[in-house]
Amino acid sequence: MIVWGASGLQEPDTTSTIRAQLTTTLDLNEVSSIIEANVYPEGLLERRIVWGEGPWREANMLRAWEVVLEGKAYAKRPKCGNCTDCKGHPVPIATVANGTGLISSFCQSCWDWSDFHKHRPAPPPMDFMTERGIFKTRLARPDKGGLRGKLTEEELEKLLATYVKGRLSPGPDGIISELLKDATSTERSIILQWINEVLTSDDPGHKLSVTEVHGLVALLHKGGGSTVRAENYRPVVLLNSLFQLVSYIIQERLVRIVEGSNILEPGQGGFRARRGCDINMHKLDFITREAQKKTSNAFVRIDVDFENAFNSVPHEHLFAVLRAFEIPDIDLLESVYAVATVSLAQERGKGGGVTFDTGVQQGSVLSPTLFNVFLNPLLRLLTAIGHQRGISHGIKGIAAFNNLAFADDLTIVAEIRRLGVPGGGAQMLLNVIEEFSTWSGMEVKIVKSCGMWAGAERDLKLPLTLVFREQQLKIVPRGDPV
């Protein structure tokens, strides 16, 4: 064995031997067999499973995508339940048994199979939000109703006419949406009866099973890249038409509660009626032009990019936020997410089912509103800190605000020289985002986030340093397009 000493490369006093055993395969269907084979000699110090990036072809491409989807489906820091020193890094293994796909979880700490989905950690305390009064006001109003409740024939007719669109790909049941619109009166009465059983049952899980909620993942190539690598494909989820119909009903009621109770912050422009990201862009453009006047103060603008935001929402955290806002009938949503699985459409029902512990349900009409509610505590935190410390854009004659949300993208603004240094106010807002990111598991993508000046020429020479998780944020030079 060769080691590095103080004077460079040298021989140790005593030599030793390290045995290394490497088993490789180009067939992903063989991975589970290799793991289970008794091929590990005594004295082996460490074992690791290392995945390559491909290229994958034919059935291997499907196995690779199942591994990718399952790898993104685990909760943050899950435990295997077998060992006390579990590192919380499950390895998904996709296999085929008797012509049917299976996806299992493997723990490298104890070198054993385990269901990591059964050992999800509880959400951390929300004290940093409750202590700042985030959930004290603008909660769900009782007069706005709940998510449960019978649907009338007239309401069903309105839903079919308003929401159900034609020429859409069907889900696993193969029922196209046109069949719902053209259903006979007898068929509609059967559909209405089933919907009301779901919406009035004390245990909706008996009516909404994996069969109804399951989705198919169609892989669409992004174009321009290799066709044999999983990262060059975009997954699109196709859900059953009947389940989507139920989701439209719940979504309509959820929006009535959320918007009718004024729960969402005015800075959120994404997925909202009579609001929009274009309006937020006009706000941002207007205060930028005002800041460039010689009589105005400059402000710091930071664009924050959340990495894979919609797929990073832990379910337990989502339900905790919904309950904190006192939205009723959360158990109805929990029953949906408890059985929400997907499999690859190319497998024609024979692929392994992926169960998600994180992320709002892909393809569901409920997901945009649920995501807005989940992000809302962060926007309230930023607004509360702004009121307490006087952190906003600082433009006179314009209502004070320090955040604008474009669905999952966020822009924060802070007047310069606030809290003693040019970026003091902006840094405090960044610290709030870091605290929420740590709690929620939604990571900020530093390489896509940046800060910039907005103001008159006299302020551009001030030093500006912004830090997130001990990494310095990029400051866009003057003149660069943003």
Side-chain angles (χ1 to χ4, degrees):
M1 181 175 68
I2 304 299
V3 298
W4 284 97
S7 59
L9 191 65
Q10 60 181 276
E11 291 282 348
D13 295 334
T14 59
T15 59
S16 59
T17 302
I18 295 179
R19 294 185 63 185
Q21 179 171 312
L22 179 65
T23 305
T24 62
T25 180
L26 295 177
D27 186 353
L28 295 182
N29 291 321
E30 295 179 350
V31 175
S32 62
S33 300
I34 294 173
I35 290 174
E36 292 176 351
N38 186 21
V39 295
Y40 303 105
E42 293 184 6
L44 193 65
L45 298 178
E46 192 174 17
R47 292 174 283 196
R48 281 285 180 266
I49 300 172
V50 181
W51 291 101
E53 296 182 356
W56 308 114
R57 293 180 175 85
E58 299 177 356
N60 268 325
M61 173 62 79
L62 300 178
R63 295 287 84 72
W65 252 107
E66 287 175 343
V67 169
V68 169
L69 291 173
E70 183 75 6
K72 295 179 178 179
Y74 297 117
K76 299 293 182 181
R77 299 172 293 278
K79 301 298 181 181
C80 69
N82 299 330
C83 55
T84 56
D85 61 340
C86 181
K87 302 298 189 298
H89 299 295
V91 178
I93 307 293
T95 61
V96 175
N98 299 322
T100 302
L102 300 172
I103 303 177
S104 304
S105 304
F106 193 80
C107 177
Q108 294 191 87
S109 298
C110 60
W111 206 254
D112 199 1
W113 301 96
S114 176
D115 187 353
F116 280 80
H117 295 294
K118 291 183 178 179
H119 304 282
R120 294 176 290 185
M126 296 192 292
D127 296 346
F128 73 102
M129 291 186 276
T130 55
E131 289 171 358
R132 289 166 178 155
I134 301 306
F135 302 113
K136 282 187 177 180
T137 60
R138 290 187 289 143
L139 306 177
R141 290 168 43 182
D143 63 311
K144 296 304 175 182
L147 304 181
R148 280 194 172 90
K150 271 195 171 184
L151 190 74
T152 66
E153 292 184 11
E154 292 76 15
E155 289 172 325
L156 177 60
E157 295 295 328
K158 176 186 174 183
L159 282 167
L160 292 173
T162 305
Y163 294 119
V164 179
K165 310 297 182 183
R167 304 182 66 181
L168 298 176
S169 299
D173 60 6
I175 299 176
I176 59 176
S177 56
E178 285 86 348
L179 290 178
L180 298 181
K181 294 179 71 73
D182 299 335
T184 65
S185 58
T186 302
E187 291 168 338
R188 292 193 179 196
S189 65
I190 296 173
I191 293 172
L192 181 61
Q193 179 181 351
W194 177 77
I195 290 175
N196 281 329
E197 287 178 353
V198 172
L199 295 177
T200 59
S201 173
D202 291 333
D203 186 7
H206 284 305
K207 303 300 177 183
L208 282 176
S209 65
V210 173
T211 303
E212 287 80 25
V213 183
H214 186 71
L216 292 180
V217 177
L219 301 177
L220 305 181
H221 193 259
K222 298 177 182 179
S226 169
T227 60
V228 294
R229 296 189 183 276
E231 65 267 20
N232 292 328
Y233 288 83
R234 186 185 309 280
V236 176
V237 178
L238 307 174
L239 298 174
N240 288 329
S241 298
L242 276 174
F243 171 64
Q244 282 285 48
L245 186 60
V246 173
S247 298
Y248 276 120
I249 300 165
I250 300 174
Q251 162 70 0
E252 192 173 72
R253 295 174 179 181
L254 180 62
V255 170
R256 181 184 64 209
I257 296 169
V258 171
E259 295 290 2
S261 305
N262 196 26
I263 291 176
L264 297 182
E265 288 296 288
Q268 176 60 272
F271 310 123
R272 302 180 69 184
R274 294 178 293 278
R275 293 181 184 268
C277 295
D278 55 339
I279 296 176
N280 279 357
M281 284 302 303
H282 281 298
K283 289 181 180 178
L284 195 56
D285 179 68
F286 183 73
I287 63 172
T288 300
R289 292 178 184 275
E290 289 295 309
Q292 290 171 343
K293 294 179 180 179
K294 293 182 178 181
T295 55
S296 294
N297 291 329
F299 63 82
V300 178
R301 166 185 165 182
I302 304 174
D303 292 339
V304 179
D305 181 80
F306 289 104
E307 186 172 6
N308 202 17
F310 294 102
N311 295 327
S312 300
V313 178
H315 294 170
E316 279 75 10
H317 296 59
L318 170 62
F319 299 136
V321 169
L322 291 170
R323 286 191 167 90
F325 284 123
E326 298 184 359
I327 295 174
D329 302 327
I330 303 304
D331 60 325
L332 178 59
L333 296 174
E334 288 177 319
S335 68
V336 170
Y337 275 77
V339 293
T341 60
V342 298
S343 62
L344 294 173
Q346 288 88 336
E347 293 280 55
R348 296 177 174 85
K350 294 184 178 181
V354 177
T355 302
F356 285 90
D357 298 329
T358 62
V360 290
Q361 190 179 18
Q362 291 191 35
S364 172
V365 297
L366 276 165
S367 296
T369 302
L370 290 175
F371 181 83
N372 274 356
V373 176
F374 181 75
L375 192 64
N376 198 55
L378 172 59
L379 305 187
R380 286 196 177 191
L381 276 171
L382 294 169
T383 300
I385 293 296
H387 289 161
Q388 294 167 8
R389 304 302 297 268
I391 303 173
S392 72
H393 52 72
I395 306 298
K396 295 180 180 179
I398 302 176
F401 64 86
N402 62 22
N403 66 86
L404 293 170
F406 304 81
D408 61 328
D409 293 317
L410 178 63
T411 294
I412 56 176
V413 293
E415 182 184 2
I416 67 166
R417 300 188 181 88
R418 177 61 58 185
L419 306 181
V421 294
Q427 185 61 58
M428 178 167 282
L429 297 182
L430 273 178
N431 295 342
V432 171
I433 296 174
E434 182 175 334
E435 194 172 14
F436 182 83
S437 173
T438 300
W439 176 83
S440 66
M442 288 177 56
E443 299 294 341
V444 171
K445 199 163 189 176
I446 301 296
V447 295
K448 286 191 175 182
S449 303
C450 60
M452 65 199 77
W453 284 113
E457 189 76 30
R458 69 179 187 277
D459 298 313
L460 297 177
K461 296 181 180 179
L462 292 172
L464 177 61
T465 302
L466 300 168
V467 178
F468 188 90
R469 295 201 195 283
E470 300 181 354
Q471 296 185 56
Q472 192 163 328
L473 210 63
K474 175 187 175 183
I475 306 300
V476 179
R478 176 176 170 80
D480 281 16
V482 294

